[in-house]
């Protein structure tokens, strides 16, 4: 609705569309809108210079797609079939029976978890006090490549979170040497994700790296959800739980 209370009927840029959808769908991004366009779910008008112009109908179409993904976990193929039915004046079929929401893995890492960490600088003493690690533990973690100070010998916010998380694992009975496979797995997974988006990052338009970063964050979050589910399945096999 406009400020006058009337429906919006004009055209908008992709940035304006993002602003209209962000409050209802916090995870939506420009790269997500472009992806939905590439999949044929929305087809904004293009100006002679190539700029996208989204109509009110385009925005409502995007809102339908995002809500169908969020509320019904429908794959894009099914959503596209629904939209085609709507375009032909029909009502889309009722979504197929689905798992209870509590059984669907919507928890865990999201793309927002890959946003840059706050700018903080911790000394080694401050990191130990914040995390509860012993100095000997920190020395081993640095030796095994799980933690490393940055410029000037300071540790950043991500290092503080890693140190706190490791301290919890050590309290559970693990030792720093047991954590080396975590670093190896993380390096392999990050390299795989980077490979997937490297071509996008090398494109020449100004926002190519931003799009690549958003895509990498989204894929990485999915990789970590898969990782946690596989660990869960392994525990069920090993412990019969």
């Amino acid at each position: 609705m406009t400020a006058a209370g009337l429906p919006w009927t004009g055209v908008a840029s992709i940035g304006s569309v993002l602003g209209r959808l962000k409050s209802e769908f916090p995870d939506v991004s420009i790269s997500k809108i472009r992806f939905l366009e590439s999949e044929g779910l929305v087809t904004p008008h293009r100006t002679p210079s190539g700029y996208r112009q989204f109509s009110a109908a385009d925005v409502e179409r995007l809102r339908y797609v995002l809500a169908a993904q969020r509320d019904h976990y429908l794959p894009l193929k099914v959503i596209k079939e629904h939209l085609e039915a709507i375009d032909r004046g029909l009502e889309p079929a009722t979504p197929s029976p689905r798992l209870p929401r509590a059984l669907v893995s919507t928890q865990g890492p999201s793309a927002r978890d890959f946003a840059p960490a706050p700018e903080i600088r911790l000394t080694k003493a401050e990191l130990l006090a914040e995390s509860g690690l012993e100095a000997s533990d920190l020395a081993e973690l640095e030796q095994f490549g799980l933690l490393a100070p940055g410029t000037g010998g300071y540790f950043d916010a991500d290092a503080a979170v890693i140190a706190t998380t490791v301290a919890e694992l050590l309290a559970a009975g693990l030792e720093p040497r047991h954590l080396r496979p975590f670093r190896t797995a993380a390096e392999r997974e990050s390299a795989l994700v980077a490979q997937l988006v490297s071509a996008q990052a090398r494109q020449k338009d100004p926002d190519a790296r931003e799009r690549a970063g958003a895509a990498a964050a989204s894929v990485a979050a999915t990789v970590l959800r898969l990782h946690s589910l596989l660990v869960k399945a392994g525990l069920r096999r090993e412990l019969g739980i």
Side-chain angles (χ1 to χ4, degrees):
M1 302 293 285
T2 64
L6 297 175
W8 170 66
T9 58
V11 294
S13 67
I14 192 168
S16 297
V17 171
L18 179 65
R20 292 177 182 277
L21 296 173
K22 197 72 173 176
S23 60
E24 187 177 353
F25 305 98
D27 291 336
V28 72
S29 64
I30 286 179
S31 60
K32 172 76 169 181
I33 295 171
R34 287 173 172 158
F35 172 72
L36 294 176
E37 179 188 0
S38 71
E39 292 295 309
L41 292 156
V42 63
T43 52
H45 173 71
R46 292 278 191 147
T47 66
S49 55
Y51 290 102
R52 298 171 178 83
Q53 290 186 328
F54 291 81
S55 67
D58 292 327
V59 176
E60 289 308 307
R61 196 175 182 90
L62 286 169
R63 184 173 281 112
Y64 181 93
V65 172
L66 295 170
Q69 287 185 308
R70 181 193 64 191
D71 300 337
H72 301 294
Y73 313 106
L74 296 181
L76 290 182
K77 179 181 178 182
V78 175
I79 297 173
K80 193 170 185 178
E81 291 171 355
H82 284 197
L83 289 171
E84 289 171 353
I86 292 172
D87 291 341
R88 291 185 288 114
L90 305 176
E91 291 187 5
T94 301
S96 301
R98 56 190 175 89
L99 288 171
R101 188 179 183 91
L103 296 181
V104 179
S105 179
T106 57
Q107 301 300 316
S110 70
R112 285 173 291 183
D113 295 318
F114 293 85
E119 288 290 336
I120 65 169
R121 296 189 301 166
L122 297 172
T123 64
K124 181 174 291 189
E126 289 168 338
L127 181 70
L128 293 173
E130 178 69 25
S131 65
L133 285 174
E134 298 291 338
S136 58
D137 294 330
L138 179 57
E140 287 190 73
L141 293 171
E142 291 185 77
Q143 177 186 346
F144 297 140
L146 278 86
L147 275 172
T151 304
Y154 291 100
F155 293 88
D156 62 13
D158 286 335
V161 176
I162 291 173
T164 302
T165 304
V166 166
E168 294 179 19
L169 293 174
L170 299 185
L174 293 181
E175 298 177 15
R177 61 187 176 86
H178 295 145
L179 303 179
R180 284 182 289 184
F182 290 81
R183 188 202 69 186
T184 302
E187 289 174 348
R188 289 174 178 171
E189 290 168 354
S190 59
L192 179 61
V193 173
Q195 182 180 352
L196 286 173
V197 302
S198 60
Q200 189 174 17
R202 290 195 298 268
Q203 293 176 2
K204 297 186 182 301
D205 56 296
D207 58 350
R209 293 184 65 85
E210 180 182 349
R211 292 201 311 274
S218 178
V219 174
T222 304
V223 166
L224 291 181
R225 286 198 297 273
L226 174 60
H227 184 94
S228 65
L229 289 169
L230 292 175
V231 170
K232 178 181 176 181
L235 287 173
R236 291 175 64 89
R237 288 193 303 270
E238 294 290 334
L239 302 177
I241 58 176

